[in-house]
Protein backbone atom coordinates (compact mmCIF):
# COMPACT_ATOMS: atom_id res chain seq x y z
CA UNK A 1 0.00 0.00 0.00
CA UNK A 2 1.44 3.33 -1.03
CA UNK A 3 2.21 5.62 1.91
CA UNK A 4 3.42 9.19 2.21
CA UNK A 5 7.05 9.02 3.29
CA UNK A 6 8.79 11.49 5.52
CA UNK A 7 12.18 12.81 4.42
CA UNK A 8 13.89 10.38 6.80
CA UNK A 9 11.86 7.44 5.55
CA UNK A 10 12.54 8.36 1.95
CA UNK A 11 16.26 8.49 2.72
CA UNK A 12 16.06 5.05 4.27
CA UNK A 13 14.15 3.81 1.23
CA UNK A 14 16.80 5.04 -1.17
CA UNK A 15 19.61 3.51 0.87
CA UNK A 16 17.84 0.18 0.98
CA UNK A 17 17.04 -0.26 -2.67
CA UNK A 18 19.85 -2.80 -2.58
CA UNK A 19 18.21 -4.89 0.11
CA UNK A 20 14.66 -5.47 -1.03
CA UNK A 21 12.91 -8.72 -1.90
CA UNK A 22 11.81 -9.76 -5.36
CA UNK A 23 12.35 -6.41 -7.08
CA UNK A 24 16.08 -6.56 -7.80
CA UNK A 25 16.22 -2.77 -7.50
CA UNK A 26 19.89 -2.44 -6.66
CA UNK A 27 22.02 0.04 -8.56
CA UNK A 28 23.95 -1.59 -11.36
CA UNK A 29 27.62 -2.29 -10.99
CA UNK A 30 29.59 -1.64 -14.15
CA UNK A 31 31.55 -4.69 -15.16
CA UNK A 32 32.42 -6.89 -18.15
CA UNK A 33 28.90 -8.27 -18.54
CA UNK A 34 27.34 -4.82 -18.69
CA UNK A 35 29.69 -3.59 -21.39
CA UNK A 36 28.62 -6.50 -23.62
CA UNK A 37 24.99 -5.42 -23.86
CA UNK A 38 23.32 -2.65 -25.79
CA UNK A 39 20.07 -1.32 -24.36
CA UNK A 40 17.31 -0.92 -26.93
CA UNK A 41 13.54 -0.50 -27.08
CA UNK A 42 10.99 -2.46 -29.06
CA UNK A 43 7.67 -1.04 -30.25
CA UNK A 44 5.32 -3.50 -28.57
CA UNK A 45 1.55 -3.94 -28.90
CA UNK A 46 -0.25 -2.85 -25.73
CA UNK A 47 -3.09 -5.38 -25.97
CA UNK A 48 -2.54 -8.49 -28.06
CA UNK A 49 -5.99 -9.96 -27.52
CA UNK A 50 -8.54 -7.18 -27.97
CA UNK A 51 -8.60 -5.24 -31.21
CA UNK A 52 -11.12 -2.67 -30.03
CA UNK A 53 -10.03 -1.35 -26.64
CA UNK A 54 -6.53 -0.16 -27.51
CA UNK A 55 -6.54 -0.25 -31.30
CA UNK A 56 -2.97 -0.45 -32.53
CA UNK A 57 -1.50 1.31 -29.49
CA UNK A 58 2.10 0.44 -28.65
CA UNK A 59 4.59 1.00 -25.85
CA UNK A 60 8.36 0.98 -25.59
CA UNK A 61 9.53 -2.39 -24.26
CA UNK A 62 13.15 -2.48 -23.17
CA UNK A 63 15.53 -5.25 -24.12
CA UNK A 64 19.26 -5.90 -24.01
CA UNK A 65 21.22 -7.45 -26.86
CA UNK A 66 24.72 -8.69 -27.55
CA UNK A 67 26.00 -10.27 -30.74
CA UNK A 68 29.59 -10.55 -29.50
CA UNK A 69 29.49 -14.33 -29.67
CA UNK A 70 27.04 -14.78 -32.52
CA UNK A 71 27.80 -16.54 -35.76
CA UNK A 72 25.48 -14.28 -37.70
CA UNK A 73 22.59 -15.99 -39.42
CA UNK A 74 23.57 -19.42 -38.11
CA UNK A 75 24.11 -19.45 -34.36
CA UNK A 76 21.10 -19.90 -32.07
CA UNK A 77 19.20 -17.13 -30.32
CA UNK A 78 19.29 -17.28 -26.51
CA UNK A 79 16.33 -15.29 -25.19
CA UNK A 80 15.83 -14.50 -21.49
CA UNK A 81 12.15 -14.17 -20.55
CA UNK A 82 12.35 -11.25 -18.16
CA UNK A 83 10.57 -11.39 -14.83
CA UNK A 84 9.49 -9.14 -11.97
CA UNK A 85 12.17 -6.45 -12.05
CA UNK A 86 14.65 -4.33 -13.98
CA UNK A 87 16.01 -6.34 -16.91
CA UNK A 88 19.59 -5.25 -16.18
CA UNK A 89 19.56 -7.00 -12.83
CA UNK A 90 18.78 -10.35 -14.44
CA UNK A 91 21.26 -9.83 -17.26
CA UNK A 92 24.06 -9.06 -14.81
CA UNK A 93 23.26 -12.09 -12.66
CA UNK A 94 22.81 -14.73 -15.39
CA UNK A 95 26.38 -15.18 -16.58
CA UNK A 96 25.87 -18.82 -17.56
CA UNK A 97 23.84 -17.68 -20.57
CA UNK A 98 26.78 -15.62 -21.81
CA UNK A 99 29.21 -18.47 -21.17
CA UNK A 100 26.95 -20.79 -23.13
CA UNK A 101 26.57 -18.21 -25.90
CA UNK A 102 30.36 -18.11 -26.27
CA UNK A 103 30.41 -21.91 -26.58
CA UNK A 104 27.52 -22.15 -29.04
CA UNK A 105 28.00 -18.89 -30.97
CA UNK A 106 24.62 -17.50 -29.94
CA UNK A 107 22.91 -14.14 -30.13
CA UNK A 108 21.75 -13.13 -26.64
CA UNK A 109 18.60 -11.12 -25.84
CA UNK A 110 17.23 -10.19 -22.42
CA UNK A 111 13.67 -8.89 -22.59
CA UNK A 112 12.07 -6.79 -19.88
CA UNK A 113 8.62 -7.86 -18.68
CA UNK A 114 5.79 -5.39 -19.31
CA UNK A 115 4.99 -3.16 -16.29
CA UNK A 116 8.50 -3.59 -14.84
CA UNK A 117 11.63 -1.47 -15.04
CA UNK A 118 11.26 1.00 -17.89
CA UNK A 119 8.68 -1.04 -19.80
CA UNK A 120 5.58 0.76 -18.54
CA UNK A 121 2.75 0.72 -21.10
CA UNK A 122 1.06 3.79 -19.59
CA UNK A 123 4.02 5.46 -17.91
CA UNK A 124 3.40 6.48 -14.32
CA UNK A 125 -0.30 5.77 -14.81
CA UNK A 126 0.38 2.08 -15.52
CA UNK A 127 -0.81 1.00 -12.06
CA UNK A 128 -4.08 2.86 -12.17
CA UNK A 129 -7.28 0.90 -12.68
CA UNK A 130 -8.10 -0.17 -15.40
CA UNK A 131 -4.70 0.39 -17.08
CA UNK A 132 -3.09 -2.25 -14.87
CA UNK A 133 -5.48 -4.90 -16.23
CA UNK A 134 -3.18 -5.57 -19.18
CA UNK A 135 -0.56 -6.98 -16.81
CA UNK A 136 -1.07 -10.70 -17.37
CA UNK A 137 1.09 -13.73 -18.03
CA UNK A 138 -0.60 -14.19 -21.39
CA UNK A 139 0.18 -10.64 -22.52
CA UNK A 140 3.80 -11.02 -21.40
CA UNK A 141 4.23 -14.26 -23.34
CA UNK A 142 2.70 -12.67 -26.43
CA UNK A 143 5.15 -9.77 -26.04
CA UNK A 144 8.05 -12.21 -26.12
CA UNK A 145 6.64 -14.16 -29.06
CA UNK A 146 6.20 -10.98 -31.11
CA UNK A 147 9.60 -9.61 -30.10
CA UNK A 148 11.40 -12.84 -31.00
CA UNK A 149 9.66 -13.11 -34.36
CA UNK A 150 10.24 -9.51 -35.43
CA UNK A 151 13.82 -9.22 -34.16
CA UNK A 152 14.77 -12.44 -35.94
CA UNK A 153 13.52 -10.89 -39.19
CA UNK A 154 15.33 -7.61 -38.55
CA UNK A 155 18.58 -9.39 -37.72
CA UNK A 156 18.43 -11.87 -40.62
CA UNK A 157 18.14 -14.70 -38.10
CA UNK A 158 14.89 -16.27 -39.32
CA UNK A 159 16.44 -19.74 -39.48
CA UNK A 160 18.27 -19.56 -36.16
CA UNK A 161 16.85 -21.84 -33.42
CA UNK A 162 15.55 -20.07 -30.32
CA UNK A 163 16.17 -21.31 -26.78
CA UNK A 164 14.52 -19.44 -23.90
CA UNK A 165 15.94 -19.08 -20.41
CA UNK A 166 14.51 -17.80 -17.16
CA UNK A 167 14.84 -18.00 -13.40
CA UNK A 168 12.04 -18.12 -10.81
CA UNK A 169 8.96 -16.41 -12.30
CA UNK A 170 11.06 -15.89 -15.43
CA UNK A 171 11.68 -19.65 -15.43
CA UNK A 172 7.93 -20.20 -15.33
CA UNK A 173 7.60 -17.94 -18.36
CA UNK A 174 10.30 -19.88 -20.21
CA UNK A 175 8.44 -23.13 -19.63
CA UNK A 176 5.18 -21.47 -20.66
CA UNK A 177 6.77 -20.15 -23.86
CA UNK A 178 7.62 -23.69 -24.87
CA UNK A 179 4.07 -24.81 -24.04
CA UNK A 180 2.33 -21.90 -25.77
CA UNK A 181 4.68 -21.11 -28.67
CA UNK A 182 6.55 -24.31 -29.65
CA UNK A 183 6.52 -22.98 -33.21
CA UNK A 184 8.79 -20.15 -32.06
CA UNK A 185 10.77 -21.68 -29.19
CA UNK A 186 12.78 -24.90 -29.62
CA UNK A 187 13.50 -25.45 -25.93
CA UNK A 188 13.46 -23.88 -22.48
CA UNK A 189 15.67 -23.83 -19.41
CA UNK A 190 13.27 -23.14 -16.53
CA UNK A 191 15.50 -22.58 -13.51
CA UNK A 192 13.89 -22.57 -10.04
CA UNK A 193 10.47 -22.27 -11.67
CA UNK A 194 7.65 -22.90 -9.14
CA UNK A 195 5.18 -23.89 -11.83
CA UNK A 196 3.21 -26.12 -9.45
CA UNK A 197 2.91 -24.03 -6.30
CA UNK A 198 2.01 -20.83 -8.15
CA UNK A 199 -0.79 -22.76 -9.86
CA UNK A 200 -2.31 -23.53 -6.47
CA UNK A 201 -0.88 -27.04 -6.25
CA UNK A 202 0.90 -28.31 -3.16
CA UNK A 203 0.94 -27.55 0.55
CA UNK A 204 0.52 -23.99 1.81
CA UNK A 205 2.94 -24.81 4.65
CA UNK A 206 5.73 -25.93 2.32
CA UNK A 207 7.53 -22.66 1.67
CA UNK A 208 8.27 -21.51 5.21
CA UNK A 209 8.88 -25.09 6.28
CA UNK A 210 11.63 -25.24 3.66
CA UNK A 211 13.06 -21.88 4.75
CA UNK A 212 13.24 -23.30 8.27
CA UNK A 213 14.90 -26.49 7.00
CA UNK A 214 17.76 -24.48 5.49
CA UNK A 215 18.62 -22.99 8.87
CA UNK A 216 18.00 -26.27 10.65
CA UNK A 217 20.60 -27.94 8.38
CA UNK A 218 23.23 -25.57 9.74
CA UNK A 219 22.24 -26.41 13.32
CA UNK A 220 18.97 -27.43 15.00
CA UNK A 221 19.93 -24.92 17.70
CA UNK A 222 19.63 -22.18 15.07
CA UNK A 223 15.99 -23.06 14.41
CA UNK A 224 15.34 -23.18 18.15
CA UNK A 225 16.97 -19.79 18.70
CA UNK A 226 14.83 -18.18 16.00
CA UNK A 227 11.69 -19.72 17.43
CA UNK A 228 12.70 -18.63 20.92
CA UNK A 229 13.33 -15.05 19.81
CA UNK A 230 9.91 -14.80 18.18
CA UNK A 231 8.39 -16.24 21.36
CA UNK A 232 10.01 -13.48 23.43
CA UNK A 233 8.74 -10.88 20.98
CA UNK A 234 5.24 -12.32 21.27
CA UNK A 235 5.32 -12.02 25.08
CA UNK A 236 6.44 -8.39 24.90
CA UNK A 237 3.63 -7.68 22.44
CA UNK A 238 1.04 -9.37 24.64
CA UNK A 239 2.09 -7.09 27.48
CA UNK A 240 2.09 -4.11 25.07
CA UNK A 241 5.65 -3.32 26.07
CA UNK A 242 6.06 -1.30 22.91
CA UNK A 243 8.94 0.86 24.13
CA UNK A 244 10.96 -2.28 24.89
CA UNK A 245 10.20 -3.67 21.45
CA UNK A 246 11.32 -0.41 19.87
CA UNK A 247 14.55 -0.52 21.84
CA UNK A 248 15.29 -4.20 21.21
CA UNK A 249 14.72 -3.94 17.45
CA UNK A 250 16.09 -0.41 16.93
CA UNK A 251 12.82 0.73 15.39
CA UNK A 252 12.51 4.33 14.24
CA UNK A 253 9.09 4.57 15.91
CA UNK A 254 7.59 2.54 18.74
CA UNK A 255 4.89 0.10 17.60
CA UNK A 256 1.45 0.97 18.91
CA UNK A 257 -0.91 -1.76 17.71
CA UNK A 258 -1.29 -5.40 16.79
CA UNK A 259 -0.97 -4.32 13.17
CA UNK A 260 2.50 -2.91 13.86
CA UNK A 261 3.57 -6.16 15.53
CA UNK A 262 2.23 -8.13 12.58
CA UNK A 263 4.25 -5.88 10.29
CA UNK A 264 7.38 -6.45 12.39
CA UNK A 265 6.87 -10.21 12.25
CA UNK A 266 6.51 -10.03 8.49
CA UNK A 267 9.63 -7.93 8.09
CA UNK A 268 11.67 -10.34 10.22
CA UNK A 269 10.33 -13.46 8.51
CA UNK A 270 11.11 -11.94 5.13
CA UNK A 271 14.78 -11.53 6.08
CA UNK A 272 15.09 -15.27 6.65
CA UNK A 273 13.30 -15.93 3.36
CA UNK A 274 15.83 -13.88 1.42
CA UNK A 275 18.82 -15.47 3.14
CA UNK A 276 17.48 -18.92 2.28
CA UNK A 277 16.76 -18.04 -1.36
CA UNK A 278 20.12 -16.34 -1.90
CA UNK A 279 22.28 -18.81 0.00
CA UNK A 280 25.09 -18.66 -2.54
CA UNK A 281 28.63 -19.72 -1.63
CA UNK A 282 29.95 -16.23 -2.46
CA UNK A 283 28.78 -12.68 -1.82
CA UNK A 284 26.18 -11.32 -4.25
CA UNK A 285 24.36 -8.11 -5.13
CA UNK A 286 21.17 -9.64 -6.52
CA UNK A 287 17.86 -8.92 -4.79
CA UNK A 288 19.96 -7.47 -1.99
CA UNK A 289 23.56 -7.37 -0.78
CA UNK A 290 24.34 -10.76 0.71
CA UNK A 291 27.49 -12.17 2.25
CA UNK A 292 28.76 -15.57 1.20
CA UNK A 293 26.67 -18.37 2.74
CA UNK A 294 24.14 -15.99 4.35
CA UNK A 295 22.22 -18.80 6.09
CA UNK A 296 25.39 -19.83 7.89
CA UNK A 297 26.13 -16.19 8.73
CA UNK A 298 22.58 -15.76 10.00
CA UNK A 299 22.82 -18.83 12.20
CA UNK A 300 26.12 -17.61 13.59
CA UNK A 301 24.44 -14.35 14.52
CA UNK A 302 21.44 -16.09 16.10
CA UNK A 303 23.75 -18.30 18.22
CA UNK A 304 26.34 -15.72 19.23
CA UNK A 305 24.97 -15.21 22.76
CA UNK A 306 21.97 -15.40 25.11
CA UNK A 307 20.26 -12.16 24.01
CA UNK A 308 17.92 -13.67 21.43
CA UNK A 309 16.10 -10.44 20.58
CA UNK A 310 19.34 -8.63 19.81
CA UNK A 311 20.46 -11.63 17.80
CA UNK A 312 17.19 -11.61 15.82
CA UNK A 313 17.52 -7.88 15.15
CA UNK A 314 21.06 -8.24 13.87
CA UNK A 315 20.22 -11.27 11.78
CA UNK A 316 17.54 -9.23 10.04
CA UNK A 317 20.15 -6.50 9.66
CA UNK A 318 22.16 -8.81 7.38
CA UNK A 319 19.41 -8.16 4.84
CA UNK A 320 18.06 -4.72 5.70
CA UNK A 321 21.25 -3.00 6.85
CA UNK A 322 24.02 -4.68 4.90
CA UNK A 323 25.89 -1.37 4.62
CA UNK A 324 25.61 -0.72 8.35
CA UNK A 325 24.57 2.89 7.80
CA UNK A 326 21.06 2.70 9.23
CA UNK A 327 20.60 3.81 12.81
CA UNK A 328 17.01 2.56 13.00
CA UNK A 329 14.55 0.42 11.10
CA UNK A 330 11.38 1.88 9.63
CA UNK A 331 8.81 -0.92 9.63
CA UNK A 332 6.67 0.28 6.77
CA UNK A 333 9.36 1.51 4.39
CA UNK A 334 11.57 -1.58 4.58
CA UNK A 335 8.83 -4.14 4.02
CA UNK A 336 5.35 -3.91 2.51
CA UNK A 337 2.80 -6.63 3.14
CA UNK A 338 1.11 -7.69 -0.09
CA UNK A 339 -0.57 -10.58 -1.87
CA UNK A 340 2.72 -12.50 -1.90
CA UNK A 341 3.63 -13.65 1.64
CA UNK A 342 7.24 -14.13 0.49
CA UNK A 343 7.51 -10.39 -0.22
CA UNK A 344 6.85 -7.93 -3.06
CA UNK A 345 9.51 -5.30 -2.40
CA UNK A 346 8.87 -1.58 -2.92
CA UNK A 347 8.22 0.83 -5.75
CA UNK A 348 6.50 0.30 -9.10
CA UNK A 349 7.92 -3.21 -9.47
CA UNK A 350 6.31 -4.24 -6.20
CA UNK A 351 2.95 -2.87 -7.32
CA UNK A 352 3.17 -4.90 -10.49
CA UNK A 353 3.96 -8.12 -8.65
CA UNK A 354 1.25 -7.46 -6.08
CA UNK A 355 -1.29 -7.16 -8.89
CA UNK A 356 -0.10 -10.39 -10.48
CA UNK A 357 -0.32 -12.15 -7.10
CA UNK A 358 -3.90 -10.89 -6.89
CA UNK A 359 -4.89 -12.26 -10.27
CA UNK A 360 -3.09 -15.25 -11.81
CA UNK A 361 -0.17 -16.05 -9.48
CA UNK A 362 -1.34 -18.02 -6.41
CA UNK A 363 0.92 -17.69 -3.36
CA UNK A 364 -1.19 -18.56 -0.34
CA UNK A 365 1.73 -19.54 1.87
CA UNK A 366 1.48 -19.48 5.65
CA UNK A 367 3.75 -19.89 8.66
CA UNK A 368 2.38 -21.67 11.74
CA UNK A 369 5.23 -22.10 14.28
CA UNK A 370 4.72 -25.88 14.16
CA UNK A 371 6.17 -26.99 10.84
CA UNK A 372 8.33 -23.87 10.75
CA UNK A 373 10.13 -21.52 13.15
CA UNK A 374 8.07 -18.40 12.46
CA UNK A 375 5.04 -16.81 14.15
CA UNK A 376 1.64 -18.04 12.98
CA UNK A 377 0.76 -15.84 10.00
CA UNK A 378 -2.06 -17.17 7.86
CA UNK A 379 -2.75 -16.12 4.29
CA UNK A 380 -5.74 -18.07 3.02
CA UNK A 381 -7.68 -17.83 -0.23
CA UNK A 382 -10.24 -15.81 1.69
CA UNK A 383 -7.54 -13.45 3.00
CA UNK A 384 -6.31 -13.06 -0.57
CA UNK A 385 -9.78 -12.29 -1.86
CA UNK A 386 -10.40 -9.64 0.78
CA UNK A 387 -7.04 -7.96 0.22
CA UNK A 388 -7.17 -8.04 -3.58
CA UNK A 389 -10.74 -6.80 -3.75
CA UNK A 390 -9.82 -3.84 -1.58
CA UNK A 391 -6.44 -3.08 -3.17
CA UNK A 392 -7.05 -3.73 -6.86
CA UNK A 393 -10.84 -4.23 -7.18
CA UNK A 394 -10.26 -7.76 -8.48
CA UNK A 395 -11.18 -11.23 -7.32
CA UNK A 396 -8.41 -13.82 -7.78
CA UNK A 397 -9.11 -16.69 -10.11
CA UNK A 398 -7.86 -19.83 -8.31
CA UNK A 399 -6.66 -22.57 -10.65
CA UNK A 400 -6.31 -20.29 -13.68
CA UNK A 401 -2.62 -21.05 -14.26
CA UNK A 402 -3.40 -24.75 -13.97
CA UNK A 403 -6.05 -24.37 -16.66
CA UNK A 404 -3.94 -22.18 -18.92
CA UNK A 405 -0.53 -23.77 -18.48
CA UNK A 406 -1.26 -27.39 -17.61
CA UNK A 407 -0.38 -27.46 -13.90
CA UNK A 408 1.08 -30.89 -13.11
CA UNK A 409 -0.18 -32.44 -16.37
CA UNK A 410 2.96 -31.55 -18.32
CA UNK A 411 3.82 -34.94 -19.80
CA UNK A 412 2.59 -33.99 -23.29
CA UNK A 413 5.12 -31.13 -23.46
CA UNK A 414 8.72 -31.45 -24.64
CA UNK A 415 12.16 -29.84 -24.53
CA UNK A 416 12.09 -28.24 -21.09
CA UNK A 417 14.74 -28.47 -18.40
CA UNK A 418 13.44 -27.88 -14.88
CA UNK A 419 16.41 -27.16 -12.60
CA UNK A 420 16.15 -26.69 -8.85
CA UNK A 421 18.60 -26.34 -5.99
CA UNK A 422 17.89 -28.19 -2.76
CA UNK A 423 18.62 -25.07 -0.67
CA UNK A 424 15.95 -23.08 -2.47
CA UNK A 425 12.61 -22.82 -0.62
CA UNK A 426 10.91 -22.50 -4.01
CA UNK A 427 12.25 -25.85 -5.22
CA UNK A 428 9.46 -28.08 -3.92
CA UNK A 429 6.95 -25.94 -5.75
CA UNK A 430 8.56 -26.97 -9.02
CA UNK A 431 9.19 -30.11 -11.07
CA UNK A 432 11.67 -32.33 -9.22
CA UNK A 433 11.36 -35.55 -11.26
CA UNK A 434 11.87 -35.99 -15.00
CA UNK A 435 8.58 -36.55 -16.81
CA UNK A 436 10.00 -37.86 -20.08
CA UNK A 437 13.24 -38.01 -22.03
CA UNK A 438 12.77 -34.37 -23.04
CA UNK A 439 11.17 -33.03 -19.83
CA UNK A 440 14.23 -33.21 -17.65
CA UNK A 441 14.48 -32.39 -13.96
CA UNK A 442 17.94 -31.49 -12.66
CA UNK A 443 18.31 -31.31 -8.88
CA UNK A 444 21.34 -29.38 -7.69
CA UNK A 445 22.72 -30.38 -4.30
CA UNK A 446 23.84 -27.34 -2.35
CA UNK A 447 22.20 -25.00 -4.86
CA UNK A 448 20.21 -21.89 -3.96
CA UNK A 449 17.73 -19.95 -6.12
CA UNK A 450 18.63 -20.55 -9.82
CA UNK A 451 22.33 -20.86 -8.99
CA UNK A 452 22.87 -22.58 -12.34
CA UNK A 453 22.00 -19.39 -14.25
CA UNK A 454 24.75 -17.47 -12.49
CA UNK A 455 28.21 -17.24 -14.02
CA UNK A 456 30.89 -19.74 -13.08
CA UNK A 457 32.65 -19.12 -9.78
CA UNK A 458 35.67 -20.84 -8.27
CA UNK A 459 33.68 -21.84 -5.18
CA UNK A 460 30.76 -23.34 -7.11
CA UNK A 461 29.76 -26.77 -5.80
CA UNK A 462 30.52 -29.64 -8.16
CA UNK A 463 26.78 -30.24 -8.47
CA UNK A 464 26.12 -26.95 -10.26
CA UNK A 465 29.17 -27.37 -12.51
CA UNK A 466 27.78 -30.75 -13.53
CA UNK A 467 24.26 -29.33 -13.99
CA UNK A 468 25.51 -26.56 -16.29
CA UNK A 469 27.45 -29.09 -18.37
CA UNK A 470 24.33 -31.22 -18.72
CA UNK A 471 22.25 -28.18 -19.63
CA UNK A 472 24.79 -27.16 -22.27
CA UNK A 473 24.72 -30.64 -23.82
CA UNK A 474 20.93 -30.79 -23.92
CA UNK A 475 20.58 -27.29 -25.36
CA UNK A 476 23.15 -28.08 -28.06
CA UNK A 477 21.07 -31.13 -29.01
CA UNK A 478 17.89 -29.04 -29.17
CA UNK A 479 19.62 -26.48 -31.39
CA UNK A 480 20.79 -29.16 -33.82
CA UNK A 481 17.36 -30.82 -33.88
CA UNK A 482 15.67 -27.52 -34.62
CA UNK A 483 18.26 -26.58 -37.23
CA UNK A 484 17.65 -29.89 -39.01
CA UNK A 485 13.90 -29.37 -38.86
CA UNK A 486 14.19 -25.88 -40.30
CA UNK A 487 16.45 -27.05 -43.12
CA UNK A 488 13.90 -29.69 -44.11
CA UNK A 489 11.21 -27.03 -44.41
CA UNK A 490 13.28 -24.88 -46.80
Amino acid sequence: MKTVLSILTLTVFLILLTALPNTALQSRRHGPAETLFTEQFFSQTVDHFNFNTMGNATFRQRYLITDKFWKAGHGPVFFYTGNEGDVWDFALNSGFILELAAQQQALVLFAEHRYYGKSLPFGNSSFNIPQVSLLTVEQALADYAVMITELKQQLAATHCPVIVFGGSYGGMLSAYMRLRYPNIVAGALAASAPVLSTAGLGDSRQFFQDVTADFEKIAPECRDAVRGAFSQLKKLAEHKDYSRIQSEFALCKPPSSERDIHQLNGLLRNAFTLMAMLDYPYSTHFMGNMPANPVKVGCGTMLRGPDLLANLRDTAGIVYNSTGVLTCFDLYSLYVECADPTGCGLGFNSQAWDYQACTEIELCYESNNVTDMFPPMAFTEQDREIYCSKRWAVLPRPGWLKTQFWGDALSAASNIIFSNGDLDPWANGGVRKSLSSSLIALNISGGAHHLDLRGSNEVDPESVISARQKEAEIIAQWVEMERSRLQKTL
Side-chain angles (χ1 to χ4, degrees):
M1 187 176 295
K2 195 170 183 180
T3 58
V4 178
L5 301 177
S6 65
I7 294 175
L8 174 61
T9 301
L10 181 58
T11 301
V12 170
F13 167 74
L14 293 172
I15 291 170
L16 280 143
L17 287 180
T18 58
L20 299 175
N22 289 349
T23 58
L25 282 169
Q26 73 276 13
S27 59
R28 299 203 306 274
R29 286 160 175 76
H30 293 268
E34 187 168 29
T35 60
L36 287 175
F37 288 106
T38 300
E39 180 177 292
Q40 298 191 23
F41 288 84
F42 182 83
S43 181
Q44 186 62 263
T45 302
V46 173
D47 187 349
H48 297 281
F49 305 114
N50 190 315
F51 289 83
N52 290 322
T53 57
M54 298 302 301
N56 295 317
T58 62
F59 72 98
R60 283 161 50 85
Q61 183 173 19
R62 184 165 55 162
Y63 69 96
L64 310 178
I65 184 170
T66 178
D67 61 0
K68 177 179 175 60
F69 312 108
W70 190 37
K71 185 176 181 181
H74 179 79
V77 176
F78 290 169
F79 186 94
Y80 186 94
T81 53
N83 34 331
E84 71 279 30
D86 187 303
V87 68
W88 275 107
D89 295 304
F90 301 105
L92 299 181
N93 287 278
S94 303
F96 170 64
I97 299 173
L98 294 174
E99 294 172 9
L100 193 60
Q103 294 175 25
Q104 302 191 12
Q105 300 178 305
L107 175 71
V108 179
L109 294 161
F110 276 73
E112 188 164 71
H113 194 297
R114 60 168 53 205
Y115 288 83
Y116 292 94
K118 292 184 178 180
S119 301
L120 302 178
F122 303 97
N124 290 344
S125 299
S126 295
F127 302 100
N128 295 342
I129 299 169
Q131 288 91 330
V132 72
S133 65
L134 294 177
L135 171 53
T136 67
V137 171
E138 292 82 0
Q139 295 280 3
L141 296 177
D143 288 343
Y144 297 152
V146 169
M147 183 184 288
I148 290 169
T149 302
E150 294 194 17
L151 289 181
K152 283 182 71 177
Q153 292 177 342
Q154 293 176 19
L155 297 167
T158 53
H159 302 301
C160 297
V162 177
I163 306 296
V164 289
F165 298 75
S168 195
Y169 170 56
M172 291 169 53
L173 296 179
S174 288
Y176 294 167
M177 283 294 291
R178 177 60 186 168
L179 300 181
R180 182 60 62 88
Y181 299 105
N183 57 315
I184 295 173
V185 170
L189 172 52
S192 298
V195 292
L196 304 181
S197 58
T198 55
L201 301 170
D203 190 336
S204 63
R205 301 169 297 179
Q206 165 259 316
F207 186 86
F208 291 110
Q209 180 177 333
D210 289 349
V211 173
T212 299
D214 282 353
F215 288 84
E216 191 174 34
K217 287 174 186 175
I218 300 296
E221 296 82 6
C222 180
R223 171 206 61 204
D224 296 340
V226 174
R227 185 174 276 148
F230 277 112
S231 177
Q232 290 186 20
L233 172 57
K234 179 183 178 182
K235 290 177 181 177
L236 291 176
E238 288 173 345
H239 289 91
K240 296 187 178 180
D241 195 347
Y242 295 138
S243 61
R244 171 87 183 278
I245 293 172
Q246 180 188 18
S247 174
E248 291 287 358
F249 289 95
L251 304 181
C252 299
K253 297 178 181 178
S256 59
S257 65
E258 290 184 5
R259 177 175 178 267
D260 291 345
I261 299 302
H262 179 82
Q263 179 74 8
L264 175 57
N265 281 330
L267 178 144
L268 295 168
R269 186 181 69 175
N270 195 64
F272 288 93
T273 294
L274 282 173
M275 286 185 279
M277 284 176 57
L278 307 177
D279 195 21
Y280 302 125
Y282 45 82
S283 62
T284 57
H285 305 284
F286 177 60
M287 292 167 56
N289 296 318
M290 289 287 176
N293 304 299
V295 170
K296 185 177 181 180
V297 174
C299 280
T301 305
M302 284 303 309
L303 297 173
R304 69 184 179 187
D307 190 344
L308 293 183
L309 292 178
N311 296 347
L312 180 58
R313 176 198 65 218
D314 292 343
T315 300
I318 295 170
V319 172
Y320 297 113
N321 195 18
S322 60
T323 60
V325 300
L326 291 185
T327 58
C328 65
F329 295 102
D330 187 294
L331 283 180
Y332 291 94
S333 69
L334 295 179
Y335 174 74
V336 176
E337 190 175 34
C338 64
D340 177 358
T342 73
C344 285
L346 300 175
F348 278 164
N349 289 342
S350 73
Q351 292 187 57
W353 186 244
D354 188 34
Y355 180 79
Q356 289 195 263
C358 272
T359 50
E360 298 178 301
I361 307 295
E362 294 184 53
L363 293 167
C364 289
Y365 291 133
E366 65 173 31
S367 57
N368 55 36
N369 203 235
V370 177
T371 58
D372 57 66
M373 61 189 180
F374 304 108
M377 298 177 71
F379 189 67
T380 65
E381 283 290 353
Q382 184 179 12
D383 294 329
R384 183 178 176 227
E385 281 190 13
I386 293 170
Y387 170 82
C388 296
S389 177
K390 182 178 179 181
R391 175 63 182 89
W392 295 106
V394 297
L395 285 178
R397 200 178 294 172
W400 181 244
L401 284 186
K402 182 179 178 181
T403 300
Q404 280 283 73
F405 301 106
W406 309 14
D408 56 358
L410 292 164
S411 58
S414 64
N415 291 9
I416 304 173
I417 300 169
F418 295 99
S419 63
N420 285 285
D422 65 357
L423 298 181
D424 184 9
W426 291 103
N428 287 324
V431 177
R432 303 300 299 273
K433 294 181 180 180
S434 296
L435 303 176
S436 72
S437 60
S438 68
L439 293 171
I440 302 156
L442 296 178
N443 294 301
I444 303 169
S445 177
H449 203 45
H450 48 72
L451 174 62
D452 51 326
L453 288 187
R454 300 188 63 82
S456 299
N457 190 289
E458 60 183 8
V459 296
D460 276 335
E462 182 60 37
S463 58
V464 78
I465 296 172
S466 176
R468 290 184 188 126
Q469 291 173 344
K470 182 69 173 176
E471 291 164 356
E473 293 168 4
I474 294 168
I475 288 168
Q477 292 171 9
W478 290 343
V479 168
E480 287 307 312
M481 289 169 57
E482 180 67 2
R483 188 171 283 134
S484 297
R485 187 190 70 80
L486 291 169
Q487 288 174 350
K488 289 178 182 179
T489 63
L490 296 178

